[in-house]
Amino acid sequence: MLNIGGLKNGIVLDHIQAGKSMDIYRYLKLDKLDCQVAIIKNARSNKMGRKDILKIEGGLDVVDLDVLGYIDHNITVNIIKDEKIVEKRTVKLPNKLTNVIQCKNPRCITSIEQELPHIFLLADEENQVYRCAYCEEKYK
C-alpha cells in the first residue's frame, strides 16, 4: 500500500477520471506554482474502478474551477484546513471558458488579433460542445 502524507492546508481533487490528472496539472499550470503537489494515478476506487487524485498545498485561489469543470465535471474538490476536510465542492461544465481552449478556425479574429482572449460558450451541455464567441466555430 502506497502512503501519501496528509495536507495541513490545501485542496484535494478527487474522483478524477483515470489518466486525466496530468491534463489538469498542465491546464492549472501547477508547475509554475511554488507549492507541493502530489499526483496519485490509477488509485483503486469502489465507485469508479480506477481514479486519479491531486493533492495541492495552499488555498483554493490556485485552482480555476472552470478549467476543472471543462476537463472532468465529475471531480470533487475537498478543501482541507488543519488536516480536516472543511468543505466539499463539486464542479460543473462552465457556461464560458476564457483562454482555456483556442479556436482552430484560421479566419477567426483570434487568429489575427493575438491579444484577444479566446472565449468559448457552452452550446450543448449534453454533448459537451463549446462554440467560439467570435466565429461560432465548434470545439468538442
Side-chain angles (χ1 to χ4, degrees):
M1 179 77 179
L2 180 65
N3 188 11
I4 304 291
L7 278 176
K8 182 159 177 55
N9 294 302
I11 56 173
V12 176
L13 305 179
D14 198 0
H15 304 111
I16 301 169
Q17 182 182 341
K20 293 275 191 173
S21 60
M22 289 308 293
D23 292 340
I24 292 170
Y25 184 85
R26 281 189 284 279
Y27 271 111
L28 294 178
K29 298 177 176 72
L30 294 175
D31 58 329
K32 308 268 191 276
L33 298 178
D34 188 28
C35 64
Q36 292 181 13
V37 177
I39 300 171
I40 303 161
K41 294 184 70 167
N42 294 315
R44 283 183 217 90
S45 168
N46 293 334
K47 184 176 167 184
M48 301 173 67
R50 296 251 176 227
K51 67 179 180 178
D52 289 358
I53 302 169
L54 269 170
K55 291 184 174 189
I56 306 166
E57 179 186 55
L60 192 59
D61 58 325
V62 299
V63 175
D64 182 349
L65 294 179
D66 285 345
V67 170
L68 291 179
Y70 168 70
I71 295 171
D72 185 351
H73 57 279
N74 296 310
I75 293 174
T76 303
V77 179
N78 297 313
I79 300 168
I80 312 293
K81 289 204 170 117
D82 297 320
E83 299 180 0
K84 291 185 174 42
I85 298 174
V86 294
E87 185 180 350
K88 284 190 176 204
R89 292 185 187 178
T90 55
V91 295
K92 60 184 179 84
L93 277 174
N95 291 320
K96 180 179 175 182
L97 287 171
T98 304
N99 293 328
V100 176
I101 51 179
Q102 295 185 344
C103 187
K104 305 268 192 251
N105 182 356
R107 288 182 261 171
C108 182
I109 188 72
T110 58
S111 296
I112 300 157
E113 300 290 334
Q114 302 287 321
E115 58 279 340
L116 273 179
H118 291 262
I119 300 171
F120 282 80
L121 304 173
L122 183 61
D124 182 354
E125 188 171 357
E126 186 177 318
N127 295 311
Q128 301 177 19
V129 174
Y130 284 87
R131 290 195 177 271
C132 175
Y134 304 104
C135 70
E136 297 192 358
E137 179 79 10
K138 186 163 128 178
Y139 190 98
K140 186 173 178 185

